Amino acid sequence: AEEIAEKLCESVAASLEGKKLGSFTRISSTVQTAMEEALLRILTPRRSIDILRDVQAAKERGKPYVVVFVGVNGVGKSTNLAKVAYWLLQHNLSVMMAACDTFRSGAVEQLRTHARRLQIPIFEKGYEKDPAVVAKEAIQEATRNKSDVVLVDTAGRMQDNEPLMRALSKLINLNKPDLVLFVGEALVGNDAVDQLNKFNQKLADLSTVPTARLIDGILLTKFDTIDDKVGAALSMVYISGSPVMFVGCGQSYTDLKKLNVKSIVKTLLK
């Protein structure tokens, strides 16, 4: 995004000003190094989140760790929720899914299929229900069954859909999840930045509590389909201050990776 590109140039300029070059160093390589450092700084967010450590901490308090997946329609929330479930299972954690997309027909069945494949429990109450209440009951059930993690699926919603954004805000305020994950497509570039921005804005505006709960982390889907559009990742982290926690890069449950900041910087600079 333009604003970020400008900030980046300023940052590089500031770090180079007044620098003395050795007689054999080329200016271009010095600038390249400064650029790499500036990009690394932006992509290494202000706060980092260690899910596995936080799950253990919640476990010690006798509570399940709750993750809510949010995003616009069709970005792959349910599919990537299943991938995160698989990732948690690989770390020997017990997982429960909560079908809180009570809006889109077929959503509960889709999640049920994932739960059956992964052989994990799913909490569902069908359609037309208040998702905030379904999530609350799911968390209570998980506490009773001593599940380590609850993954909450929510309906896809456009960032300017007031009633649905209000419902999401209610779900987050009522259940106080440990992690709110924004699922965005790497494919759409700066569009995803706009979505993330507006989501945060709406969650802040509609919050009923004094300190609004915003998006904590980002999951970028369809990351295998982009070659040079890595800039979106940069913009999203810069604008929200939230880390990219996972990238989805394929169709199967194993296709979920941690973001390798160094390799992204390489891609941007090649």
Side-chain angles (χ1 to χ4, degrees), residues 15-269:
S15 72
L16 288 177
E17 217 166 302
K19 204 170 187 187
K20 283 193 169 61
L21 291 186
S23 45
F24 292 109
T25 21
R26 297 204 345 255
I27 287 184
S28 61
S29 63
T30 311
V31 172
Q32 174 104 357
T33 312
M35 185 75 165
E36 260 174 50
E37 283 165 6
L39 286 168
L40 281 171
R41 256 202 313 279
I42 289 183
L43 275 172
T44 312
R46 294 191 284 280
R47 56 171 187 270
S48 66
I49 299 167
D50 182 338
I51 293 187
L52 298 173
R53 190 194 58 213
D54 294 347
V55 170
Q56 289 307 332
K59 213 171 165 175
E60 281 157 24
R61 295 197 305 272
K63 287 194 169 77
Y65 182 84
V66 181
V67 186
V68 173
F69 288 73
V70 306
V72 302
N73 313 63
V75 291
K77 275 184 302 302
S78 310
T79 309
N80 281 282
L81 180 147
K83 288 183 193 175
V84 172
Y86 178 82
W87 180 77
L88 291 162
L89 291 172
Q90 299 306 301
H91 289 92
N92 300 321
L93 294 164
S94 59
V95 182
M96 182 171 113
M97 290 181 176
C100 297
D101 180 349
T102 58
F103 187 72
R104 173 176 69 89
S105 55
V108 177
E109 288 78 358
Q110 184 186 0
L111 211 58
R112 206 183 288 150
T113 305
H114 285 308
R116 194 175 59 240
R117 280 191 190 152
L118 293 165
Q119 296 177 322
I120 57 177
I122 176 171
F123 186 91
E124 49 161 301
K125 284 282 191 233
Y127 296 100
E128 309 278 316
K129 303 281 188 302
D130 182 346
V133 176
V134 178
K136 193 177 179 61
E137 290 174 5
I139 295 165
Q140 288 165 348
E141 172 95 353
T143 310
R144 278 196 297 274
N145 299 343
K146 297 202 167 15
S147 297
D148 298 327
V149 186
V150 183
L151 301 178
V152 179
D153 190 27
T154 64
R157 60 205 77 213
M158 296 317 283
Q159 59 271 33
D160 42 18
N161 182 329
E162 189 82 18
L164 276 180
M165 285 307 294
R166 196 175 290 282
L168 182 64
S169 176
K170 180 183 173 185
L171 184 145
I172 291 172
N173 290 330
L174 181 71
N175 294 294
K176 301 183 176 53
D178 298 279
L179 184 66
V180 180
L181 257 191
F182 177 83
V183 184
E185 279 181 314
L187 214 60
V188 294
N190 289 322
D191 224 19
V193 180
D194 181 58
Q195 291 164 10
L196 178 66
N197 226 354
K198 294 244 175 73
F199 255 77
N200 263 339
Q201 218 172 339
K202 274 277 185 286
L203 288 176
D205 294 347
L206 298 170
S207 177
T208 48
V209 290
T211 46
R213 190 53 200 287
L214 304 179
I215 284 154
D216 301 308
I218 302 162
L219 193 163
L220 273 184
T221 67
K222 306 178 190 175
F223 208 72
D224 50 331
T225 52
I226 54 166
D227 38 10
D228 50 359
K229 283 212 187 84
V230 204
L234 192 75
S235 306
M236 288 167 95
V237 174
Y238 179 82
I239 280 189
S240 65
S242 304
V244 173
M245 303 192 59
F246 297 104
V247 288
C249 48
Q251 297 288 328
S252 59
Y253 291 142
T254 48
D255 294 328
L256 188 73
K257 293 195 172 88
K258 288 286 203 185
L259 184 72
N260 182 338
V261 174
K262 285 202 167 67
S263 75
I264 285 233
V265 172
K266 280 212 165 43
T267 315
L268 273 167
L269 289 176

